[in-house]
């Protein structure tokens, strides 16, 4: 086991966790798993988040200040944001293409779709929305009895607490100034921003501001500060090393808890959940896997010739497997930085600047899923969205992905914004709740893979990529070697 690469150990831990959860479910031990094993998974994510925030802060400060040239910083920042924006638009477009070709929402039972359509029209009438395609099932005399029965059910569905809370939060956000997102980037209290993982953009703003200011003061005065920043950064990287030594066990606990909570003492629940949403889940998975194994490697090969296909995945294996198990780009960030620097040969000046920004603004997996989810939900309710409305989805999803927190299931909240943008019922997110946690794991792998690809492209463009100096990417980040 000592010679086994870290990502293989993590994969073994994940597999054993799922097997344990299914076994404990069949034997009626789910309560034991949730109470005595799952907490270790929570501890793991908490440890990674504990490291992630200060690591982002000191990495960006050190990365910006060590660039040494404000012009280089501006050029690198511009290229970083542009490439992140382009990959996001590509991910959304791929999602829309797949969902329009496969049409997962139209593969559901016809009677169920008619009921869903009646539900939609009842909601639209109550909220003052115009029915999208002009067809009115509520006026059909043949459906009068079904309309009366369904109208009672729809009221009960809309009262679901977990959904209504999220809708209320989005409504509150809609009442503020259009420039409020810009205002929110600038913290009024830096300590408060540090204590809240959801305010990562504020931390990045402060770190960029601090690092840029270091560039404009005398080297004699800035160097002692830089020495402290670099020293603290090394301490947090060592924390990552120590935590990752126990990653396979922690991942076992994490996956055992996730599956046990879904299954309870009935394995059939997991199977039924995926059967009901199978075509939707399959469409999202196809899109996410294409991004991971086709789109990103293609982009990388186009701009960076020196990194081979398999070499890239060997290098990023630990970060990708950890992203899958934690469902959090922010929690995975410390390991992503280690993999990119040690396994791909990216200079620390680039990785410490590009990756923290990517973990916050680059949500390609989330964007693709949101595009598929919106069209799927429309198809499920017999609504045909026009090209213009789908274009609105592209624009809204791109903007929403920038503000999406790098934590599990944050994409669901942003999905409400996208549904609102095309006049669809935000309460429909309850329909895809059951499979969201599993799909969230794959979405996070996409986000982390995209971050590392963009980081490699930027590093190569700045002549700060030294992959040829790495002897064996699969073993460099093996903590036991």
């Amino acid at each position: 086991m000592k010679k086994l690469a870290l990502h293989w150990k993590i994969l073994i831990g994940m597999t054993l966790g799922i097997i344990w959860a299914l076994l404990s479910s069949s034997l009626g031990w789910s309560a034991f798993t949730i109470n005595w094993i799952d907490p270790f998974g929570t501890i793991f994510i908490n440890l990674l988040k504990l490291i992630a925030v200060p690591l982002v802060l000191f990495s960006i400060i050190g990365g910006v200040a060590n660039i040494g040239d404000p012009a280089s910083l501006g050029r690198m920042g511009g290229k970083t944001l542009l490439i992140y924006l382009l990959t996001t638009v590509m991910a959304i477009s791929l999602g829309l293409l797949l969902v329009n070709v496969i049409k997962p929402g139209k593969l559901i039972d016809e009677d169920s779709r008619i009921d869903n359509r009646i539900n939609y029209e009842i909601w639209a009438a109550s909220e003052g929305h115009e029915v999208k395609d002009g067809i009115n099932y509520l006026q059909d005399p043949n459906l009068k009895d079904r309309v009366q029965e369904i109208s009672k059910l729809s009221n009960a569905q809309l009262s679901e607490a977990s959904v209504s809370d999220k809708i209320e939060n989005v409504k509150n956000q809609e009442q503020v100034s259009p420039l409020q997102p810009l205002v929110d980037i600038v913290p009024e209290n830096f300590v408060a921003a540090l204590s809240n993982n959801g305010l990562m953009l504020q931390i990045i703003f402060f770190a960029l501001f601090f690092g840029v200011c270091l560039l404009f003061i005398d080297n004699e005065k800035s160097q002692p500060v830089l020495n402290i920043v670099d020293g603290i950064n090394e301490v947090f990287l060592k924390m990552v090393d120590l935590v990752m030594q126990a990653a396979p066990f922690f991942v076992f606990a994490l996956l055992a808890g996730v599956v046990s909570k879904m299954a309870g003492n009935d394995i059939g629940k997991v199977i039924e959940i995926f059967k009901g949403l199978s075509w939707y889940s399959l469409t999202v998975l196809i899109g996410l896997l294409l991004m991971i194994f086709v789109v990103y490697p293609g982009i990388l090969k186009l701009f960076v010739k020196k990194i081979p296909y398999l070499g890239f995945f060997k290098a990023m294996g630990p970060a990708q497997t950890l992203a899958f198990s934690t469902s959090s780009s922010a929690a995975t960030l410390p390991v992503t930085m280690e993999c990119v620097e040690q396994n791909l040969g990216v200079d620390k000046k680039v990785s410490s600047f590009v990756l923290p920004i990517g973990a916050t603004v680059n949500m390609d997996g989330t964007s693709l899923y949101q595009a598929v989810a919106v069209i799927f939900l429309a198809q499920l309710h017999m609504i045909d969205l026009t090209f213009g409305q789908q274009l609105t989805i592209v624009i809204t999803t791109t903007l929403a992905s920038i503000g999406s927190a790098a934590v599990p299931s944050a994409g669901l909240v942003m999905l409400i914004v996208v549904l609102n943008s095309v006049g669809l019922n935000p309460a429909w997110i309850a329909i895809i709740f059951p499979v969201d946690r599993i799909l969230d794991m794959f979405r996070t792998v996409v986000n982390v893979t995209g971050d590392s690809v963009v980081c490699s492209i930027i590093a190569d463009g700045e002549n700060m990529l030294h992959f040829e100096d790495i002897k064996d990417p699969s073993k460099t980040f093996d903590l036991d070697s």
Side-chain angles (χ1 to χ4, degrees):
M1 284 292 285
K2 282 191 173 184
K3 292 184 179 179
L4 205 59
L6 179 65
H7 60 279
W8 290 115
K9 295 179 183 177
I10 294 175
L11 280 171
I12 291 170
M14 288 165 50
T15 305
L16 291 177
I18 294 170
I19 292 172
W20 170 265
L22 296 177
L23 181 64
S24 66
S25 175
S26 63
L27 296 175
W29 297 348
S30 286
F32 171 83
T33 301
I34 293 168
N35 291 331
W36 295 96
I37 296 179
D38 180 58
F40 289 101
T42 305
I43 290 170
F44 181 48
I45 292 181
N46 288 347
L47 280 171
L48 290 171
K49 286 182 179 178
L50 171 72
I51 298 167
V53 174
L55 185 63
V56 167
L57 173 65
F58 291 107
S59 291
I60 292 181
I61 291 174
V64 170
N66 284 317
I67 287 173
D69 178 16
S72 298
L73 174 65
R75 184 180 66 251
M76 192 188 301
K79 287 197 294 185
T80 299
L81 293 175
L82 177 62
I83 298 174
Y84 278 144
L85 182 65
L86 289 175
T87 58
T88 299
V89 172
M90 288 176 63
I92 298 167
S93 302
L94 176 61
L96 288 176
L97 175 66
L98 288 172
V99 76
N100 279 293
V101 170
I102 299 173
K103 295 181 172 61
K106 294 185 178 181
L107 299 173
I108 308 297
D109 175 64
E110 187 74 14
D111 287 338
S112 297
R113 291 182 68 216
I114 292 173
D115 289 348
N116 291 338
R117 172 68 190 214
I118 293 170
N119 252 322
Y120 161 66
E121 292 187 16
I122 292 169
W123 170 81
S126 66
E127 294 290 322
H129 288 284
E130 184 181 345
V131 174
K132 290 294 171 188
D133 46 22
I135 302 170
N136 199 327
Y137 280 63
L138 296 183
Q139 302 301 320
D140 189 334
N142 297 322
L143 299 173
K144 184 178 179 181
D145 292 337
R146 290 174 77 175
V147 169
Q148 287 180 338
E149 183 181 352
I150 290 169
S151 62
K152 298 173 185 177
L153 292 175
S154 64
N155 291 332
Q157 289 171 345
L158 289 173
S159 66
E160 183 176 340
S162 59
V163 175
S164 59
D165 287 346
K166 290 180 171 62
I167 295 172
E168 192 60 37
N169 288 337
V170 172
K171 283 183 178 177
N172 291 336
Q173 292 174 16
E174 290 175 348
Q175 295 170 2
V176 299
S177 162
L179 291 179
Q180 191 61 40
L182 185 62
V183 174
D184 290 340
I185 292 175
V186 183
E188 61 176 299
N189 186 326
F190 174 62
V191 176
L194 272 179
S195 64
N196 190 333
N197 282 335
L199 301 177
M200 190 68 83
L201 276 175
Q202 294 189 357
I203 296 168
I204 289 176
F205 173 84
F206 176 84
L208 288 171
F209 193 27
F210 194 99
V212 168
C213 289
L214 279 175
L215 288 175
F216 289 98
I217 63 176
D218 293 337
N219 188 60
E220 184 181 334
K221 295 180 179 178
S222 65
Q223 195 57 48
V225 178
L226 268 176
N227 290 339
I228 293 172
V229 168
D230 290 340
I232 294 174
N233 207 31
E234 287 300 320
V235 173
F236 283 110
L237 290 175
K238 179 52 66 177
M239 287 184 180
V240 176
D241 288 345
L242 294 176
V243 171
M244 288 303 292
Q245 288 181 24
F249 165 72
F250 281 132
V251 166
F252 164 82
L254 193 65
L255 266 292
V258 168
V259 178
S260 290
K261 287 173 183 174
M262 290 178 65
N265 287 325
D266 181 9
I267 299 176
K269 284 185 181 178
V270 179
I271 298 170
E272 287 303 315
I273 285 170
F274 276 95
K275 276 174 61 181
L277 293 167
S278 56
W279 284 107
Y280 160 72
S281 301
L282 184 63
T283 305
V284 174
L285 279 176
I286 290 172
L288 297 177
L289 292 175
L290 282 173
M291 288 297 296
I292 296 170
F293 295 108
V294 178
V295 177
Y296 286 139
I299 295 172
L300 187 65
K301 200 66 182 173
L302 185 64
F303 291 98
V304 184
K305 308 293 184 185
K306 63 182 77 171
I307 301 178
Y309 184 89
L310 290 178
F312 173 76
F313 287 103
K314 283 183 179 179
M316 294 309 300
Q320 290 174 317
T321 50
L322 190 63
F324 183 84
S325 56
T326 63
S327 298
S328 172
S329 302
T332 311
L333 179 60
V335 179
T336 308
M337 293 178 73
E338 290 260 0
C339 289
V340 165
E341 291 167 15
Q342 296 183 19
N343 297 356
L344 289 178
V346 173
D347 194 290
K348 197 172 182 179
K349 292 178 183 178
V350 176
S351 63
S352 60
F353 175 77
V354 176
L355 290 177
I357 293 174
T360 305
V361 304
N362 183 45
M363 296 288 163
D364 292 351
T366 304
S367 301
L368 184 148
Y369 133 81
Q370 288 175 346
V372 173
V374 171
I375 304 300
F376 165 74
L377 291 170
Q379 292 171 349
L380 196 63
H381 292 78
M382 304 184 78
I383 304 166
D384 289 323
L385 295 177
T386 64
F387 175 78
Q389 289 163 340
Q390 295 199 25
L391 187 62
T392 302
I393 292 171
V394 173
I395 297 169
T396 310
T397 306
T398 302
L399 297 175
S401 69
I402 296 172
S404 183
V407 295
S409 296
L412 275 176
V413 178
M414 301 315 298
L415 180 57
I416 294 174
V417 176
V418 182
L419 285 167
N420 275 333
S421 72
V422 286
L424 299 179
N425 188 352
W428 291 348
I429 63 170
I431 296 171
I432 57 174
F433 263 165
V435 294
D436 182 72
R437 188 65 171 88
I438 298 296
L439 294 178
D440 199 13
M441 295 174 169
F442 289 95
R443 298 200 301 261
T444 310
V445 177
V446 171
N447 296 340
V448 167
T449 305
D451 291 347
S452 58
V453 166
V454 173
C455 189
S456 301
I457 293 171
I458 298 297
D460 190 57
E462 298 292 325
N463 294 317
M464 294 184 185
L465 180 66
H466 310 290
F467 181 78
E468 63 278 2
D469 297 334
I470 306 296
K471 293 182 180 178
D472 188 347
S474 67
K475 293 181 180 178
T476 307
F477 192 57
D478 188 352
L479 299 169
D480 295 322
S481 61

